[in-house]
Amino acid sequence: MPTDAVDFQALQFTHRRHADQNAAAPARHPVVVVGAGPVGLTLAIDLAQRGVRVVLLDNDNTLSTGSRAICFAKRTLEIFDRLGCGQRMVDKGVSWNVGKVFFRDAQIYRFDLLAEPGHERPAFINLQQYFVEGFLAHRAAELPAIDMRWNNKVAGIEQHADHALLTIETPDGPYRLRADHVVACDGSRSTLRELTGQQSTGRVFRDRFLIADVKMKFDRPAERCFWFDPKFHPNQSVLMHMQPDGIWRIDFQLGWQADPELEKRPENIIPRIEALLAHSSMAGAAFELEWASVYTFACTRMAHFRVGRVLFAGDAAHGVSPFGARGANSGVQDADNLGWKLAAVLGGHAGEHLLDTYAQEREFAADENILHSTRATDFITPKSEISLLFRDAVLDLARHHTFARTLVNSGRLSTPTTLARSPLNTPDSAHFEGGMHPGAAAADAPVTRADDRASWLLRELGDGFCALVYASADAARIALQLQAAAEGLAPLRVVHVRPCEAAAHTEVMHSLVDHDGFVAERYDMVPGTVYLLRPDQHVCARWRQPSADALHAALERALARH
């Protein structure tokens, strides 16, 4: 499936009868992932690259319709890089760092999400969800460990002590299969959530928004623009993003009383777009309405993301409002957290308790996302006269006062959750001024490889546990000690990072040059400092001068073997 000339909106995948349907007894598989959206595809690819065979089921045979999720964050792009398809996303997507906030007719301020140098990926790209799914599906098709089954709908599940038994409906009849573990990535209307007797609870917001995908030539930079109470759409808010192929995504707040069916009619959408264009000095510009939808949103989550042999991820587990781009990004990060843990359990490196930490960590992340999303929604759509007065006063002050801009909330944009309370972390035993605390997602930085090729730190970490050793004169001995300490627990990659003037030690480890000093700065490195990174590139321990016993204990802790 070459991706350069594919119409992903028209693409249909072929359903094929599987040999499992002819078996006398239900076939058994290590992992069955349900749902081939961005989250399910991400998890399947991650597992396959770790050597785990996975069955991926989807009840449909097409990709998503319309833009839906469009903002994919730097951390998500770094995950896609590790999966082998990040560059396709960036090449197709529209990169942006700058956002502008308007109140009525005036721009009150702008912000830059990536003001510092030394990062490979932009803060965000805008890319329609169907492109993301298409690129992931193409990557999945390259991996023989993924058994992709379209038009396979889960209709029943029975949980047993060591497996789950699934009933699957297909166009050519039902069948059953067993799975050591099932991962529900089947969206906000999750069938598996219903079949397991679970529910999501939280807050539903009494407001409606219109999404319009508009194709036009619009002479405006690739920036996020958010209007509060503009003249072209009074007493409401509007959000606009540029997407690839000349498509602009516009979100119009409508209010709770709006009729969704009436608002989706082109004759009602087009005047709204014309008013926005006139406000932007583009009156009369030609455009074409490509797709529209009206939505009401909620901030909800399941009580527990693990229910026996079933683990829940993405919208199946949690839902947020679209302001801040926290839905798809947090779902991909769910998959990133779960993939290595499933692989470690199935590979015998860890016990079942490691899967409980997936639930703990991602429930915490969901709560953080819901908090940010709720605060943004309350600011954007005030529900009382007092709330509206407060919001408008903040917006007025923000024109001239920096302190007030910290109170403006048009959606705190997605960043990776720091898992500071994770039971997999080893607390610091030495003093650090700053750097990457245990639980934080690793920061990228430019480096030079031993073969003098320019690269990036995150690309050199591998997909397992990694020890970063900084500028040690005794790096070779330390590397051998660290690898010996990891023996019998999990494979460990040792990477020596050194400033330009330090000697290389390429004979025993991967060696990188921190030529701009960003690694030392971002990780608070001094000679001898060692960071231990998990396979999902979150920090789990750090030391100024580690012992082999300390590393061994930290690895045991990171694998939940205590």
Side-chain angles (χ1 to χ4, degrees):
M1 187 180 70
T3 57
D4 52 353
V6 173
D7 179 358
F8 287 129
Q9 289 284 264
L11 185 63
Q12 292 191 345
F13 297 92
T14 302
H15 164 75
R16 293 183 175 87
R17 183 179 178 88
H18 196 275
D20 284 356
Q21 295 177 254
N22 303 324
R28 184 160 179 163
H29 299 275
V31 181
V32 172
V33 177
V34 182
V39 180
L41 283 161
T42 294
L43 178 60
I45 295 167
D46 193 8
L47 288 168
Q49 291 188 165
R50 297 182 188 281
V52 177
R53 300 193 65 82
V54 56
V55 175
L56 180 56
L57 307 176
D58 196 86
N59 64 356
D60 200 350
N61 69 334
T62 61
L63 305 176
S64 62
T65 303
S67 59
R68 301 191 184 274
I70 66 163
C71 293
F72 292 88
K74 178 177 178 289
R75 179 64 194 141
T76 301
L77 297 175
E78 291 163 352
I79 294 168
F80 289 157
D81 280 335
R82 186 169 53 76
L83 301 184
C85 52
Q87 193 60 49
R88 296 175 188 171
M89 310 280 191
V90 174
D91 289 346
K92 183 63 179 180
V94 174
S95 299
W96 65 277
N97 300 324
V98 172
K100 293 180 177 178
V101 179
F102 300 84
F103 182 38
R104 299 189 176 122
D105 281 343
Q107 177 183 317
I108 55 176
Y109 70 96
R110 70 190 294 276
F111 57 84
D112 189 339
L113 294 167
L114 200 62
E116 65 178 12
H119 295 272
E120 181 181 12
R121 295 307 184 200
F124 281 88
I125 63 166
N126 288 347
L127 185 63
Q128 295 93 316
Q129 182 173 322
Y130 52 81
F131 280 118
V132 172
E133 291 178 4
F135 292 140
L136 288 168
H138 179 264
R139 175 61 181 144
E142 297 174 339
L143 299 171
I146 297 177
D147 181 353
M148 182 73 240
R149 304 184 191 181
W150 300 101
N151 289 126
N152 275 240
K153 179 181 179 180
V154 175
I157 183 169
E158 298 173 16
Q159 296 224 49
H160 300 273
D162 66 342
H163 72 280
L165 178 63
L166 296 168
T167 300
I168 315 297
E169 292 180 349
T170 75
D172 46 17
Y175 70 105
R176 306 180 95 187
L177 57 82
R178 302 182 190 275
D180 295 344
H181 301 281
V182 177
V183 187
C185 305
D186 52 345
S188 60
R189 296 183 177 89
S190 171
T191 299
L192 273 167
R193 191 174 62 225
E194 181 179 350
L195 290 172
T196 53
Q198 306 300 306
Q199 59 181 346
S200 281
T201 59
R203 180 178 170 189
V204 177
F205 292 87
R206 292 171 59 86
D207 212 327
R208 291 191 170 95
F209 281 77
L210 167 73
I211 304 175
D213 279 357
V214 182
K215 189 175 184 66
M216 60 181 170
K217 291 184 178 179
F218 191 21
D219 187 16
R220 194 180 188 100
E223 300 168 337
R224 180 186 194 262
C225 293
F226 197 102
W227 289 270
F228 290 96
D229 191 15
K231 281 191 174 180
F232 62 85
H233 193 57
N235 302 315
Q236 306 286 10
S237 61
V238 179
L239 173 65
M240 184 169 72
H241 277 282
M242 180 193 291
Q243 300 180 88
D245 300 336
I247 305 294
W248 291 79
R249 160 77 167 268
I250 309 172
D251 291 47
F252 292 97
Q253 184 186 359
L254 299 175
W256 183 243
Q257 303 305 320
D259 184 321
E261 294 307 314
L262 286 176
E263 294 294 347
K264 283 192 289 188
R265 294 178 181 175
E267 62 266 28
N268 293 323
I269 299 173
I270 288 170
R272 297 190 190 282
I273 299 168
E274 290 173 338
L276 184 155
L277 293 177
H279 176 82
S280 304
S281 304
M282 293 285 287
F287 66 87
E288 181 180 347
L289 181 63
E290 291 245 324
W291 176 79
S293 181
V294 173
Y295 64 89
T296 300
F297 51 81
C299 288
T300 62
R301 81 162 173 90
M302 296 177 62
H304 305 288
F305 291 2
R306 185 183 185 192
V307 181
R309 313 303 296 181
V310 185
L311 300 116
F312 291 82
D315 287 352
H318 49 77
V320 292
S321 74
F323 302 112
R326 293 177 178 271
N329 287 293
S330 63
V332 168
Q333 289 160 33
D334 289 347
D336 187 49
N337 185 293
L338 180 56
W340 74 271
K341 294 176 179 178
L342 274 171
V345 171
L346 291 166
H349 298 295
E352 292 280 335
H353 289 306
L354 186 60
L355 300 181
D356 293 329
T357 72
Y358 160 75
Q360 290 174 275
E361 292 180 347
R362 296 313 297 171
E363 287 162 12
F364 175 79
D367 287 340
E368 180 179 275
N369 284 318
I370 286 170
L371 176 65
H372 284 299
S373 188
T374 299
R375 287 175 174 172
T377 305
D378 285 339
F379 192 87
I380 293 165
T381 64
K383 297 301 183 289
S384 70
E385 187 175 344
I386 293 298
S387 297
L388 178 62
L389 286 170
F390 169 78
R391 188 202 71 179
D392 289 354
V394 167
L395 292 169
D396 268 327
L397 286 168
R399 298 175 196 265
H400 306 293
H401 301 285
T402 303
F403 83 90
R405 294 171 190 171
T406 63
L407 302 175
V408 175
N409 195 337
S410 63
R412 299 279 188 259
L413 289 156
S414 175
T415 55
T417 298
T418 296
L419 305 170
R421 299 178 184 177
S422 171
L424 305 186
N425 295 341
T426 295
D428 286 341
S429 59
H431 179 67
F432 284 81
E433 295 289 342
M436 309 302 299
H437 294 268
D444 207 3
V447 293
T448 301
R449 292 162 50 103
D451 58 8
D452 292 328
R453 284 194 297 158
S455 187
W456 296 90
L457 179 64
L458 296 185
R459 289 188 177 274
E460 302 300 323
L461 298 181
D463 59 2
F465 282 96
C466 178
L468 284 180
V469 180
Y470 189 76
S472 174
D474 201 12
R477 182 183 61 80
I478 290 174
L480 291 173
Q481 284 184 338
L482 296 179
Q483 287 168 336
E487 195 169 338
L489 289 176
L492 177 72
R493 184 176 203 182
V494 180
V495 176
H496 184 219
V497 183
R498 59 189 176 87
C500 294
E501 64 274 11
H505 295 276
T506 56
E507 70 278 8
V508 293
M509 71 193 80
H510 199 58
S511 184
L512 304 172
V513 177
D514 180 23
H515 52 75
D516 292 321
F518 285 122
V519 178
E521 176 186 337
R522 289 171 184 163
Y523 289 79
D524 187 17
M525 294 283 212
V526 297
T529 299
V530 175
Y531 272 72
L532 179 63
L533 304 177
R534 303 179 349 178
D536 59 0
Q537 298 180 343
H538 278 257
V539 175
C540 58
R542 58 181 181 170
W543 307 269
R544 287 304 187 197
Q545 297 286 340
S547 66
D549 287 345
L551 179 95
H552 185 88
L555 274 170
E556 281 204 318
R557 190 180 187 111
L559 288 164
R561 291 170 63 113
H562 283 269

